[in-house]
Amino acid sequence: MKEHFTDLLEQLRRQLIGMGAEVESQIRVAVEALISGDADLARGVCERDPVVNDLEVRNEEAVIHLLATQQPVAGDLRLLVAAIRINADLERIGDHAVNIAQAAERLAGAKPFKPWIDIPHMAEVVRGMLRDALDAFVRRDTELAKEVLVRDDVVDAKNLSLIRELLTYMAENPALISRSIEIMSISKNLERVADLATNIAEETIFIAEGLVIKHQGPQRGEGAEEGAGR
């Protein structure tokens, strides 16, 4: 029975990693659609949203089955509780990818009024955070999870910097207001993906150490300082 339970847990982990790879790919393609002005590519991201939704339902059903039939305790119970949350976070990341793709589709016919530098950079950082958060989850690597928390501040700062720059464009040229708002929306969606990757990293720490660090600003700040010093 224990070996069967272990196999089912491993299968659940693989399913979550597969879902993570899918939503990371959707973020990548959505940003590529934005940079290339490819409306068809953007629509393709939107069309794959049901794939993520189906994965969420499948993973949720797997967790409920394990909770009901195996009565896990201690670390296994923490893993399943965290898996439910991670599953929901990944589904929301898929939603943000769709939001970015929809904005990319709306902007596809417009010539960029500034170089595409900030958004691709933010996307690269965010995708790295997601990959590392999931890697930390698989390996129960709390040190890597804490490094993900540090990078969230980088994305927050870049989002605020881009918003300030776009507000300046809007003030100087009202014709750019609509496109600037679209870019702000894309930046905000990337910032939210970083927050969700951070959630996954926090769940990893919960699984490995049984510590709930969400909403604990001072403790998280101390961890960030340690991470920055490495």
Side-chain angles (χ1 to χ4, degrees):
M1 288 293 292
K2 180 62 177 176
E3 289 181 1
H4 178 63
F5 180 47
T6 301
D7 289 343
L8 291 174
L9 284 178
E10 180 58 30
Q11 181 180 341
L12 175 61
R13 272 192 285 261
R14 287 198 299 267
Q15 288 175 192
L16 287 170
I17 294 304
M19 185 178 180
E22 173 66 26
V23 297
E24 185 206 334
S25 174
Q26 290 190 11
I27 292 290
R28 176 182 57 79
V29 174
V31 173
E32 285 180 2
L34 173 71
I35 304 308
S36 63
D38 190 332
D40 291 335
L41 193 61
R43 281 192 290 271
V45 174
C46 301
E47 291 168 358
R48 287 195 63 79
D49 189 47
V51 173
V52 176
N53 294 337
D54 290 343
L55 289 170
E56 182 198 20
V57 171
R58 179 183 175 190
N59 292 337
E60 186 176 276
E61 289 175 346
V63 172
I64 292 172
H65 173 74
L66 288 171
L67 287 170
T69 61
Q70 303 297 322
Q71 298 180 336
V73 296
D76 290 338
L77 178 58
R78 290 201 301 270
L79 172 61
L80 291 176
V81 170
I84 291 177
R85 296 170 180 163
I86 291 171
N87 188 45
D89 287 338
L90 291 174
E91 190 277 333
R92 286 195 290 271
I93 290 174
D95 289 341
H96 288 297
V98 169
N99 291 344
I100 294 169
Q102 289 173 339
E105 185 176 358
R106 290 190 292 268
L107 289 169
K111 182 179 179 181
F113 59 87
K114 67 184 294 294
W116 290 118
I117 298 174
D118 307 277
I119 294 296
H121 173 68
M122 284 181 68
E124 187 63 29
V125 174
V126 164
R127 289 173 52 221
M129 289 175 65
L130 178 57
R131 287 193 301 268
D132 287 347
L134 290 169
D135 190 24
F137 164 67
V138 170
R139 297 192 281 125
R140 299 194 180 191
D141 186 338
T142 57
E143 291 304 309
L144 182 58
K146 290 173 183 176
E147 290 176 5
V148 173
L149 306 186
V150 175
R151 276 177 275 170
D152 186 43
D153 294 333
V154 174
V155 178
D156 289 343
K158 178 58 70 174
N159 177 52
L160 289 175
S161 174
L162 180 56
I163 288 174
R164 291 192 186 102
E165 181 184 6
L166 290 169
L167 287 172
T168 300
Y169 277 104
M170 292 164 67
E172 294 177 350
N173 187 352
L176 299 178
I177 289 176
S178 178
R179 280 180 285 169
S180 294
I181 290 174
E182 293 283 11
I183 298 170
M184 285 182 186
S185 173
I186 292 168
S187 180
K188 182 61 180 176
N189 276 280
L190 288 171
E191 188 266 338
R192 286 297 299 129
V193 173
D195 288 343
L196 292 165
T198 297
N199 289 351
I200 295 172
E202 290 173 342
E203 293 299 339
T204 295
I205 296 170
F206 170 69
I207 294 168
E209 302 179 358
L211 297 176
V212 179
I213 65 170
K214 190 181 293 290
H215 308 309
Q216 296 183 11
Q219 291 184 18
R220 181 168 161 182
E222 292 168 6
E225 292 175 2
E226 292 175 3
R230 281 195 294 271

